[in-house]
Amino acid sequence: MSKPVVATTSLAGCFGCHMSLLDIDERILPLIELVEFNKSPVDDIKKFTKHCDIGLIEGGCCNSENVHVLRDFRKNCNILVSVGECAIMGGLPAMRNGIPIKECLRVAYLTGPSTTANTDHLIPNDPELPMMLDKVYPCQEIVKIDYYLPGCPPRADLIWETLLSLIKGKPVKLPYEVIKFD
Ligand code: SF4
């Protein structure tokens, strides 16, 4: 019998959510028995080679490339899961949302403390670069998202239990301690 197929990606994220997935430690062995990975940094497959059952999304959308990848995941995955606060709320990258984009670029490339190496005083403008969006968007504002795993990052156990439930076609149950914020 064919295994469920899982794809993962990192949009505007720090890869911490992927690290949390790897934090399932030795359970990675039964996971590989249970599922097949497709497009993912886990196996370095860059493009979808088949339709997938589950897509795990880390990070929100800060540029046109993120939007393109997210829409591609929606098209190619039956179930999409937003993994972590960046995917759900924009996270740390969304701290720029109250600041005009022009000002963000000026500080990042021209006047900020880490710009001394930019001796040409240029803001990158190659047409190949993805366009920055006016703000960082959570994934559910771009495509339909089926499940949300809170946390920064969500605990490995939560990712593991959620994957098991989805693989077995059972309802995803989030324990109280992961959905309270006090
Ligand atoms: S939710 Fe936290 S761990 Fe995950 S990508 Fe965002 S900052 Fe990194």
Side-chain angles (χ1 to χ4, degrees), residues 69-156:
V69 172
L70 182 56
R71 287 189 174 140
D72 200 32
F73 263 70
R74 182 68 277 177
K75 199 168 71 186
N76 284 285
C77 301
N78 292 337
I79 296 171
L80 270 196
V81 185
S82 269
V83 182
E85 301 306 333
C86 292
I88 298 171
M89 297 195 294
L92 215 57
M95 285 181 73
R96 77 164 165 92
N97 283 2
I99 304 168
I101 188 83
K102 211 170 167 181
E103 178 65 6
C104 291
L105 291 170
R106 189 180 67 77
V107 173
Y109 289 103
L110 302 180
T111 61
S114 61
T115 59
T116 46
N118 186 9
T119 48
D120 293 335
H121 303 288
L122 285 176
I123 294 175
N125 59 2
D126 191 300
E128 289 287 314
L129 292 172
M131 285 291 289
M132 281 183 75
L133 304 178
D134 59 330
K135 63 172 194 160
V136 178
Y137 290 82
C139 294
Q140 70 275 11
E141 289 191 21
I142 307 291
V143 299
K144 177 177 176 284
I145 297 292
D146 302 294
Y147 294 98
Y148 300 84
L149 297 187
C152 179
R155 292 185 337 226

